[in-house]
Amino acid sequence: MPGGFSEVKVLDNFYQTSSFYPMPVVLVSTVSANGLTNVGSYSLCFPFGIAGEHYMMLISRGDSNTSTNLLGGNKKCTLNFIPYRRRFLKNAVCLGYPGETTEEKLRDCRFTLVPSMCREKEEGVSYPDVVSESIQIFECTWVDDKELFHYANDGGERHFLLRIDSILIKERWAAALRRGGRFPSLPVDYGYRDGKYFWFAHHGRPYSEPIPKNKGIDANSVAYEVQRMPYDLEWEDAAYERLVKVPRVFLKKVLTAISERAISDGEKRITPGLLDKYNKKER
Ligand SMILES: Cc1cc2nc3c(=O)[nH]c(=O)nc-3n(C[C@H](O)[C@H](O)[C@H](O)COP(=O)(O)O)c2cc1C
């Protein structure tokens, strides 16, 4: 074939049988019928709704404990992202063995389970414990709404649309998120291959690749930068538009100055009018 390609058959579980597909490693915790927290290993877990509403998609065997617990009525589901450490991954493989009860799994679980940190708990609902060793944790609720998402499958797999209720991240990584430039070591899973092994990798140090200078910035880049800042301010879309001319290297500094000034003025919302006012004062 041109370019040296060779066509391979698209098999079931094509991500690990017919290709190389890098995936995350997520320990999914849910609450079982007897109130215990169940922990299962998952990799088919990806961002699904990213703007306005925030969702993850989790794909699980229909008869897993995780599926059973969610379908059984408690829709709370926590995604625990563990760091790359061989002993953690060894235990993740152990917790990924199908057919074990929650009690059996708890005996083998080497992770530390601590109560959910969800701030606004629904009354009468049990929340799954979370894995304390995690770098980050997404506390989610399964949204069982066929209008929003429906996948009519008959392959024994279930697709769970999980609304992200909160994201918790270890302090040092929350700081890295704000400042940029440093990354935790999260494992990459290449799946169950050779009928014998799960294959994991750790990634190298990420490097930055600047976008070409002549591309400038757009309102989305401004919004992206704003969302990474620690201020409790609401921004109007038109306000982002006002800032597209700010050179990229100064953007963070300008946004910080605007935000700190707005907070000290008691403002809650950044509007184009407010930016004009601040701009005038600058001159
Ligand atoms: C690293 C890893 C990733 C896995 N990813 C998935 C997955 O995305 N979907 C799935 O159905 N099973 C996956 N499995 C297999 C499940 O872990 C296995 O079915 C396990 O029994 C699920 O736990 P549970 O029954 O407590 O929910 C994975 C296993 C491992 C070790």
Side-chain angles (χ1 to χ4, degrees):
M1 273 190 178
F5 288 101
S6 164
E7 184 164 357
V8 295
K9 200 161 179 231
V10 185
L11 299 170
D12 281 358
N13 300 319
F14 58 87
Y15 51 90
Q16 59 194 15
T17 50
S18 305
S19 63
F20 300 96
Y21 193 76
M23 298 177 287
V25 177
V26 183
L27 295 182
V28 176
S29 50
T30 49
V31 182
S32 67
N34 57 8
L36 292 172
T37 288
N38 182 78
V39 181
S41 304
Y42 287 85
S43 284
L44 297 171
C45 187
F46 308 100
F48 191 80
I50 55 162
E53 304 278 331
H54 307 132
Y55 293 105
M56 295 289 284
M57 175 59 59
L58 172 70
I59 308 178
S60 173
R61 278 187 305 113
D63 59 356
S64 67
N65 296 327
T66 301
S67 293
T68 307
N69 294 345
L70 291 172
L71 294 163
N74 186 323
K75 298 190 166 73
K76 299 295 168 193
C77 176
T78 299
L79 311 177
N80 302 275
F81 292 79
I82 50 169
Y84 178 91
R85 292 223 186 104
R86 286 195 178 204
R87 66 187 166 91
F88 288 168
L89 296 170
K90 197 178 188 63
N91 199 215
V93 170
C94 189
L95 295 169
Y97 193 72
E100 292 192 332
T101 63
T102 299
E103 286 82 350
E104 284 166 338
K105 299 186 84 168
L106 278 175
R107 274 202 296 275
D108 287 340
C109 181
R110 298 283 168 268
F111 293 98
T112 318
L113 297 180
V114 296
S116 154
M117 285 163 258
C118 182
R119 269 185 290 138
E120 283 165 32
K121 292 212 170 69
E122 284 170 46
E123 247 185 69
V125 177
S126 309
Y127 285 68
D129 288 347
V130 305
V131 174
S132 158
E133 290 83 355
S134 304
I135 281 174
Q136 60 192 9
I137 294 169
F138 293 6
E139 294 197 294
C140 301
T141 304
W142 173 36
V143 179
D144 182 17
D145 178 347
K146 297 212 166 35
E147 298 255 302
L148 206 54
F149 172 76
H150 180 55
Y151 179 65
N153 67 300
D154 51 11
E157 77 217 41
R158 302 288 312 208
H159 294 70
F160 295 101
L161 180 68
L162 302 176
R163 187 188 64 226
I164 302 178
D165 299 324
S166 60
I167 295 184
L168 304 166
I169 180 159
K170 285 269 163 71
E171 271 164 27
R172 64 187 285 226
W173 296 116
L177 194 64
R178 286 193 296 274
R179 283 191 220 113
R182 293 195 62 235
F183 295 83
S185 179
L186 290 160
V188 179
D189 178 19
Y190 278 100
Y192 181 63
R193 312 177 87 91
D194 341 313
K196 255 198 204 157
Y197 305 109
F198 276 91
W199 287 83
F200 299 105
H202 59 102
H203 58 77
R205 193 160 167 223
Y207 75 101
S208 59
E209 183 66 44
I211 57 163
K213 284 220 168 53
N214 60 0
K215 301 273 190 225
I217 55 171
D218 61 7
N220 282 338
S221 314
V222 180
Y224 177 74
E225 204 58 66
V226 165
Q227 281 160 15
R228 295 176 61 206
M229 301 186 86
Y231 308 103
D232 191 16
L233 289 164
E234 226 180 287
W235 281 69
E236 283 186 11
D237 287 346
Y240 297 136
E241 294 286 351
R242 284 291 165 97
L243 298 172
V244 294
K245 295 252 160 58
V246 175
R248 181 174 283 276
V249 283
F250 299 127
L251 184 61
K252 208 164 173 182
K253 213 167 156 198
V254 168
L255 293 175
T256 305
I258 294 168
S259 305
E260 287 184 350
R261 194 153 169 189
I263 300 242
S264 77
D265 291 353
E267 302 284 352
K268 297 256 175 297
R269 199 174 169 80
I270 308 293
T271 62
L274 187 73
L275 293 182
D276 288 344
K277 191 172 118 190
Y278 286 175
N279 204 16
K280 269 188 214 131
K281 274 196 195 163
E282 287 302 346
R283 286 190 210 126

